[in-house]
Amino acid sequence: MCSPQESGMTALSARMLTRSRSLGPGAGPRGCREEPGPLRRREAAAEARKSHSPVKRPRKAQRLRVAYEGSDSEKGEGAEPLKVPVWEPQDWQQQLVNIRAMRNKKDAPVDHLGTEHCYDSSAPPKSKVKYIKQTSAILQQHYGGDIPASVAELVALPGVGPKMAHLAMAVAWGTVSGIAVDTHVHRIANRLRWTKKATKSPEETRAALEEWLPRELWHEINGLLVGFGQQTCLPVHPRCHACLNQALCPAAQGL
């Protein structure tokens, strides 16, 4: 038999247990919720983070732009192509200014002598005379006494090379088809290092000059350098002491 006190304690415990179950898990003996344990706190925090974390979206692939590409707004009919930097000689602009200054009198042989001297009675007969006679006959028969209007037809004539063909196109037809390069232009261009590498023929020099020299200078450069080569930059014993480019000319530094 239990004593009245033990019976009362048992009944009280039973009521407390019943009340705790009715309040649900975590209810204390006074009807308050129990403090969650460390494990439940971690689980609750994880759930909270999960519910509030932003939804991960697949990253959009970014297109890498390079320097030579234009944007959509830049593309179109009016858009200018990106200029690619080209090689050019050092100090060439100042060298050109100095050559113009030395040639301002226009008193070199090239400025006064022309083809009319080819038939000079005092001149010894040369192959050029033969070529002139042959070419004259071809022009009379096939071109009505005129001259061809293309470089290809001009160089097909006897004794006419690329230099004379480009000169004829400029003088006769007013068309700048290329740079006329003779021995003077070839020599001076190499002495001034106006070619990216040393050239061995006038045609190779022409191609090298046309790669970088502005087209508006093509017509001028032949007469300018030919006269300069006749007066100052001579093939043998050039007059470097009288040249304004003495300090700028690579060839003069080695003399």
Side-chain angles (χ1 to χ4, degrees):
M1 292 273 312
C2 295
S3 64
Q5 185 177 3
E6 290 176 346
S7 299
M9 291 295 294
T10 303
L12 180 59
S13 298
R15 285 197 298 271
M16 290 176 61
L17 180 60
T18 303
R19 183 178 178 83
S20 174
R21 289 177 178 174
S22 64
L23 292 175
R30 295 185 180 179
C32 299
R33 299 179 64 87
E34 293 181 353
E35 290 294 326
L39 181 60
R40 293 190 60 82
R41 283 199 297 268
R42 287 196 297 270
E43 293 176 352
E47 288 292 330
R49 286 195 301 269
K50 185 176 180 180
S51 60
H52 290 87
S53 60
V55 178
K56 291 185 178 180
R57 298 178 180 177
R59 297 182 64 181
K60 185 179 180 180
Q62 295 183 354
R63 183 170 176 267
L64 181 64
R65 286 193 60 190
V66 291
Y68 53 80
E69 288 183 333
S71 62
D72 293 337
S73 60
E74 295 172 341
K75 295 177 181 178
E77 296 181 357
E80 295 183 359
L82 187 65
K83 295 181 179 180
V84 180
V86 296
W87 175 89
E88 62 180 27
Q90 185 178 3
D91 301 322
W92 75 269
Q93 292 178 326
Q94 185 58 51
Q95 291 168 342
L96 182 62
V97 170
N98 292 340
I99 293 174
R100 284 171 175 162
M102 290 183 282
R103 291 277 290 114
N104 62 352
K105 293 182 180 180
K106 300 291 182 182
D107 54 357
V110 70
D111 301 314
H112 304 286
L113 300 180
T115 56
E116 67 274 10
H117 291 271
C118 290
Y119 60 81
D120 194 329
S121 57
S122 62
K126 296 182 179 180
S127 58
K128 288 185 178 181
V129 177
K130 179 182 66 175
Y131 291 148
I132 290 175
K133 289 182 177 180
Q134 293 175 348
T135 298
S136 298
I138 294 173
L139 297 180
Q140 188 65 36
Q141 295 173 8
H142 300 284
Y143 296 95
D146 206 341
I147 63 172
S150 70
V151 173
E153 290 177 297
L154 285 167
V155 296
L157 298 173
V160 177
K163 177 202 74 174
M164 188 55 64
H166 290 304
L167 282 175
M169 289 296 295
V171 175
W173 298 108
T175 300
V176 179
S177 56
I179 299 175
V181 177
D182 65 352
T183 56
H184 293 291
V185 179
H186 171 64
R187 177 180 70 256
I188 295 169
N190 278 272
R191 283 180 176 177
L192 293 176
R193 303 293 190 270
W194 279 13
T195 57
K196 196 171 184 179
K197 61 180 181 179
T199 55
K200 298 180 180 179
S201 67
E203 264 302 279
E204 191 177 347
T205 300
R206 180 188 64 81
L209 289 174
E210 290 179 358
E211 285 183 355
W212 67 268
L213 189 68
R215 193 177 183 88
E216 58 268 21
L217 299 177
W218 289 12
H219 178 64
E220 174 192 17
I221 205 68
N222 175 266
L224 197 65
L225 294 187
V226 168
F228 178 59
Q230 291 174 339
Q231 292 181 310
T232 307
C233 196
L234 305 176
V236 181
H237 305 303
R239 298 168 183 167
C240 297
H241 63 280
C243 182
L244 298 179
N245 284 327
Q246 183 177 11
L248 300 176
C249 177
Q253 308 308 313
L255 298 177

